[in-house]
């Protein structure tokens, strides 16, 4: 099995508060992995550690066979080109247009001619289904769903191998959330992406995730398909997937 993310023995502490303890996780190439857990289980913290924004107290993290910690700035810079990130709400630069937001990673990582960079940005914007007239709008002029799509366009700006999505459907109505789920799945297939997706959206898990990792008790308590997780006898997992919302998302009554 080809694993593109490998986490071993991860420990996360904030003062005396322990978030993760001896956490292990493998993410397979080409899969959409959903990461779920109760409030305070450190889902977004784990994402930020994998992409090098936070340092764990202990543990090893490898992405695409390269260490994220204890590596040279230049090696980490090269590695960072190989993934894209969409934080909650899209996290767009409010003072920049959609085009300029999508161009931002290109400006940071490469010295490209202006015209070529603008063309690439236009391609990415079209790939996420935004209309051409959105290119020169600022984030405040866009709907919530359009902002999410613009954030996704920026995440794929450098043709990454992995995309990290933090609560991508949060704040969207059901129709907008379903459309974004469909977009993620389509681009995974078209671009050969691996998707690491932090979510609490049961509909998203059922619609597009190949496997789901459950964070509980400071670790990855269980990981597998939804059918495999429903067979796990643990109170949180039982309540989350077997409760009224979980049954509704699964199409059960």
């Amino acid at each position: 099995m080809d694993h593109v993310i490998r986490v071993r023995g991860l420990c996360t502490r904030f003062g005396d508060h322990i978030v993760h303890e001896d956490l292990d996780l493998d993410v397979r190439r080409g899969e959409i992995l959903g990461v779920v857990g109760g409030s305070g289980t450190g889902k977004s913290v784990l994402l930020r550690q994998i992409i090098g924004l936070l340092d764990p107290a202990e543990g090893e993290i490898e992405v695409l066979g390269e260490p994220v910690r204890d590596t040279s700035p230049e090696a980490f810079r090269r590695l960072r080109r190989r993934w894209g990130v969409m934080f909650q709400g899209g996290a767009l630069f409010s003072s920049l247009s959609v085009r300029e937001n999508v161009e931002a990673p290109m400006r940071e990582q490469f010295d490209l001619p202006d015209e070529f960079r603008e063309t690439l940005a236009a391609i990415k914007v079209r790939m996420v289904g935004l209309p051409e007239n959105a290119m020169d709008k600022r984030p405040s002029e866009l709907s919530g769903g359009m902002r999410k799509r613009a954030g996704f366009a920026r995440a794929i700006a450098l043709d990454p191998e992995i995309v990290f999505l933090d609560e991508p459907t949060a704040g969207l109505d059901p129709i907008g959330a379903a459309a974004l789920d469909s977009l993620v799945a389509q681009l995974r297939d078209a671009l050969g992406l691996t998707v690491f997706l932090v979510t609490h959206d049961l509909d998203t898990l059922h619609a597009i995730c190949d496997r789901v990792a459950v964070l509980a008790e400071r670790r990855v308590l269980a990981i597998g398909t939804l059918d495999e997780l429903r067979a796990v006898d643990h109170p949180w997992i039982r309540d989350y997937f077997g409760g009224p919302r979980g049954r509704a998302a699964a199409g059960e009554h």
Side-chain angles (χ1 to χ4, degrees), residues 27-46:
V27 181
R28 300 168 180 169
R29 184 179 296 278
E31 76 173 338
I32 299 178
L33 178 76
V35 179
V36 303
S39 178
T41 53
K43 302 180 294 294
S44 295
V45 168
L46 176 61

Side-chain angles (χ1 to χ4, degrees), residues 3-24:
H3 294 125
V4 295
I5 298 172
R6 182 177 177 274
V7 180
R8 290 291 181 275
L10 191 76
C11 295
T12 308
R13 304 186 193 99
F14 296 105
D16 294 331
H17 179 55
I18 300 173
V19 180
H20 304 133
E21 190 168 31
D22 203 24
L23 181 152
D24 295 341

Side-chain angles (χ1 to χ4, degrees), residues 25-210:
L25 177 66
D26 290 316
V27 181
R28 300 168 180 169
R29 184 179 296 278
E31 76 173 338
I32 299 178
L33 178 76
V35 179
V36 303
S39 178
T41 53
K43 302 180 294 294
S44 295
V45 168
L46 176 61
L47 184 157
R48 289 170 181 270
Q49 288 172 328
I50 293 173
I51 63 174
L53 290 182
L54 286 175
D55 271 335
E58 300 171 28
E60 297 178 4
I61 302 171
E62 286 186 0
V63 178
L64 297 164
E66 302 289 337
V68 172
R69 305 179 68 200
D70 305 321
T71 189
S72 70
E74 181 54 37
F76 179 68
R77 180 182 171 89
R78 287 196 302 270
L79 180 60
R80 201 175 64 188
R81 292 174 183 166
R82 301 174 69 186
W83 69 59
V85 186
M86 188 177 93
F87 294 110
Q88 288 189 41
L92 299 167
F93 299 116
S94 59
S95 62
L96 301 182
S97 68
V98 169
R99 182 200 305 274
E100 291 165 336
N101 266 284
V102 177
E103 287 180 13
M106 304 177 195
R107 288 181 182 275
E108 181 186 0
Q109 295 285 352
F110 300 108
D111 183 18
L112 299 173
D114 290 350
E115 188 175 335
F116 183 52
R117 190 178 58 248
E118 289 171 7
T119 299
L120 286 178
I123 291 170
K124 303 302 180 184
V125 168
R126 282 198 295 271
M127 285 176 73
V128 300
L130 283 174
E132 195 168 331
N133 64 8
M135 293 282 287
D136 296 315
K137 291 184 177 179
R138 303 241 175 128
S140 61
E141 300 175 272
L142 303 176
S143 68
M146 292 175 75
R147 280 197 297 274
K148 298 285 182 112
R149 287 174 182 263
F152 197 38
R154 189 175 64 185
I156 62 171
L158 300 181
D159 294 327
E161 296 169 58
I162 305 172
V163 173
F164 295 89
L165 306 177
D166 192 0
E167 298 282 7
T169 59
L172 297 182
D173 62 72
I175 294 173
L180 193 67
D181 287 341
S182 178
L183 174 68
V184 171
Q186 288 170 8
L187 289 183
R188 184 276 300 266
D189 294 341
L191 303 177
L193 298 171
T194 302
V195 181
F196 183 101
L197 190 157
V198 172
T199 188
H200 67 274
D201 191 329
L202 282 154
D203 290 330
T204 295
L205 299 180
H206 283 275
I208 64 172
C209 290
D210 299 298

